[in-house]
């Protein structure tokens, strides 16, 4: 039995090496740079506009899903254990420099996120219940005419988000609760499954409503604590920042592979956290009611910024300010984050992180579910298939609380990598459509108009987009 397990882990590790070290690290950054340059550094010149769109994003079709709800759903999926446990793993393995590469991934990823979310909007379909469905599987089939490739992406997403990632989230909830309160993992798994069930069986609207209520509250609460810790350590901020930069560029590392480790961990954990380019968030972006596809692209750019530049940086600050990082003691993941906060604020730090991870990971569970539902529906168009998926997802939530985390993480890396590869190839192939949408939106703004999508301006999309939507 042990030999079979070792063989399985070896197979997964080989796949990760092939994908990440030979393909994705270049494709991910290259795609982000491509869209950053082609959009004229959109994430910088339109930074304020992202925030202005949020003000009106609560408005949506009656009974439908608003832009803000779609934003909250995608942010719920982005802000999860990657922001707490994932950042700690990245720093533990790759050193403080991994934080810098998270920032780089997020910066270029904002442009990628705009492109994939705008494409998801323009190629979305009418679900006939005042809501929409869409995402990479849909724009791959409609835009590229490759249903087999859309199905491949959908399968990867269901495996990654519906199953593997949800077991990662529940594993971290169980670990955090056990460290803080001594709870039994089995009971945590049972309670989690019971709590998640009524939300996911309520469908996409139910997920959007819960995300809209919890996400702003949990993000602000965590940031208040992080800002307090930054304030009491303000005198050493320049030192910490210098450590991150020097470590990222290999200036402080004796080992030859340290630079590569920092880059690899920063990019992998950055992608796991902010999901830019992975093809997950477009599934939420497509559900929103908007006047122009590009509008949701801007909104989704903001969610990448909040996830990595703010939340992940807050976690990294807590860990680095504490000074307790020790790569020889084996303390990593959520345990490292809890220990760091305990060091900074006292005994309430560990319970606080446990509650934070509960909220972060719980909202990720339901958002991840919604991504899976959209893609199960794309493949099978069957209510029975959706209910089977719901049951399997709940089973994985429980299983994640009782199996070992290293195996979960390497499975998460592989499934995430496969998704990202398919999606990045697709959005590069459809890049001219995304850029045309941006030009149209910006021209209307320049003319003093409220941007509205007019399909007549895009004759190349005439036979590809849903006439019941646009």
């Amino acid at each position: 039995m042990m030999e079979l397990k070792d063989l399985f882990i070896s197979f997964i590790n080989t796949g990760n090496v092939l994908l990440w070290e030979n393909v994705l690290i270049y494709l991910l950054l290259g795609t982000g740079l491509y869209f950053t340059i082609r959009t004229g550094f959109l994430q910088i010149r339109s930074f304020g506009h992202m925030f202005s769109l949020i003000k009106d994003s609560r408005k949506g079709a009656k009974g439908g899903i608003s832009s803000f709800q779609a934003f909250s759903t995608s942010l719920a999926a982005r802000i999860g254990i990657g922001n707490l446990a994932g950042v700690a793993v990245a720093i533990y393995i790759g050193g403080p420099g991994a934080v810098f590469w998270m920032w780089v991934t997020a910066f270029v990823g904002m442009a990628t996120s705009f492109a994939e979310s705008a494409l998801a909007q323009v190629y979305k379909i009418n679900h006939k219940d005042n809501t929409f469905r869409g995402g990479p599987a849909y724009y791959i089939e409609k835009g590229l005419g490759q249903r087999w490739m859309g199905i491949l992406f959908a399968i990867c997403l269901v495996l990654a988000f519906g199953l593997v990632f949800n077991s990662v989230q529940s594993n971290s909830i169980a670990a955090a609760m056990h460290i803080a309160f001594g709870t039994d993992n089995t009971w945590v798994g049972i309670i989690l499954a019971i709590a998640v069930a009524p939300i996911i069986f309520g469908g996409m609207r139910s997920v959007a409503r819960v995300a809209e209520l919890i996400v702003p509250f949990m993000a602000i609460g965590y940031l208040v604590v992080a800002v307090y810790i930054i304030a009491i350590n303000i005198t050493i901020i320049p030192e910490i920042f210098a450590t991150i930069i020097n470590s990222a560029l290999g200036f402080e590392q004796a080992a030859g592979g340290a630079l590569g480790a920092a880059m690899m961990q920063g990019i992998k954990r950055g992608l796991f956290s902010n999901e830019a380019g992975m093809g997950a968030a477009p599934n939420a972006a497509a559900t929103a009611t908007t006047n122009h596809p590009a509008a949701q692209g801007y909104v989704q750019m903001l969610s990448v910024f909040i996830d990595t530049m703010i939340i992940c940086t807050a976690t990294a600050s807590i860990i680095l300010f504490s000074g307790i990082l020790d790569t020889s003691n084996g303390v990593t993941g959520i345990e490292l984050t809890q220990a760091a906060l305990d060091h900074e604020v006292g005994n309430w730090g560990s319970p606080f992180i446990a509650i934070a991870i509960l909220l972060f990971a719980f909202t990720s569970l339901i958002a991840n579910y919604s991504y899976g539902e959209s893609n199960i529906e794309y493949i099978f168009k069957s209510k029975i298939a959706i209910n089977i998926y719901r049951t399997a997802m709940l089973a994985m939530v429980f299983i994640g609380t009782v199996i070992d985390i290293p195996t979960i993480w390497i499975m998460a890396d592989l499934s995430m990598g496969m998704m990202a590869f398919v999606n990045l190839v697709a959005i590069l192939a459809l890049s001219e459509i995304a850029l045309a949408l941006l030009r149209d939106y910006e021209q209307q703004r320049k003319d003093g108009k409220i941007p509205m999508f007019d399909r007549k301006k895009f004759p190349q999309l005439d036979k590809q987009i849903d006439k019941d939507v646009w």
Side-chain angles (χ1 to χ4, degrees), residues 50-241:
M50 295 188 300
F51 289 91
S52 68
L53 286 173
I54 288 294
K55 291 188 300 182
D56 298 322
S57 63
R58 288 181 180 272
K59 300 174 183 177
K62 185 178 180 182
I65 294 174
S66 70
S67 179
F68 184 78
Q69 287 177 324
F71 165 78
S72 296
T73 301
S74 67
L75 201 56
R78 295 185 203 273
I79 300 179
I81 60 120
N83 300 79
L84 300 176
V87 171
V89 169
I91 294 174
Y92 181 83
I93 298 175
V99 178
F100 173 83
W101 292 107
M102 280 189 177
W103 292 339
V104 170
T105 303
F107 176 75
V108 299
M110 288 172 73
T112 306
S113 184
F114 170 87
E116 62 183 358
S117 297
L119 288 170
Q121 267 286 316
V122 78
Y123 286 109
K124 68 186 179 183
I125 64 170
N126 191 334
H127 198 247
K128 309 300 182 185
D129 61 353
N130 212 27
T131 65
F132 307 102
R133 296 291 185 272
Y138 295 82
Y139 57 67
I140 288 170
E141 178 178 351
K142 289 177 171 292
L144 299 179
Q146 303 295 327
R147 179 166 171 78
W148 71 267
M149 190 176 171
I151 291 175
L152 175 61
F153 175 87
I155 291 171
C156 289
L157 184 141
V158 171
L159 290 174
F161 277 81
L163 304 177
V164 177
F165 280 13
N166 278 334
S167 64
V168 172
Q169 303 289 348
S170 63
N171 183 282
S172 286
I173 291 175
M177 288 295 173
H178 182 74
I179 292 168
F181 308 113
T183 53
D184 180 84
N185 288 0
T186 301
W187 280 108
V188 171
I190 293 170
I191 293 170
L192 268 180
I194 292 173
V196 168
I199 300 172
I200 67 172
F201 276 92
M204 303 286 265
R205 283 196 189 89
S206 176
V207 170
R209 285 194 295 268
V210 172
E212 182 183 30
L213 290 172
I214 298 179
V215 169
F217 165 77
M218 73 181 190
I220 291 170
Y222 186 66
L223 285 177
V224 167
V225 174
V227 168
Y228 167 74
I229 292 172
I230 291 171
I232 64 176
N233 290 282
I234 196 166
T235 58
I236 63 171
I237 287 179
E239 178 187 340
I240 294 297
F241 187 76

Side-chain angles (χ1 to χ4, degrees), residues 313-362:
T313 300
T315 299
S317 300
I318 292 170
I319 293 170
L320 296 176
F321 282 141
S322 72
I324 67 167
L325 178 65
D326 182 355
T327 57
S328 64
N329 63 10
V331 177
T332 185
I334 196 62
E335 186 178 356
L336 174 58
T337 306
Q338 286 180 293
L341 193 57
D342 272 347
H343 182 275
E344 292 297 293
V345 301
N347 292 335
W348 65 267
S350 186
F352 175 83
I353 289 293
I355 299 301
I357 200 72
L358 174 62
L359 291 175
F360 283 28
F362 183 81

Side-chain angles (χ1 to χ4, degrees), residues 11 17 20 36 43 46 108 135 160 174-175 228 255 281 285 323 337 386 393 410:
F11 173 78
V17 170
W20 285 101
T36 295
Q43 60 271 64
S46 296
V108 299
Y228 167 74
T337 306
I386 290 175
M393 181 267 194
I410 64 171

Side-chain angles (χ1 to χ4, degrees), residues 288-309:
T289 300
T290 61
N291 293 325
H292 196 289
Q296 196 64 22
Y298 284 99
V299 170
Q300 293 302 330
M301 277 206 309
L302 180 58
S303 69
V304 174
F305 176 82
I306 292 172
D307 170 88
T308 304
M309 299 300 197

Side-chain angles (χ1 to χ4, degrees), residues 15 32 65 187 384 430 446 469:
I65 294 174
W187 280 108
I384 295 174
L430 294 168
K446 187 177 178 180
V469 174

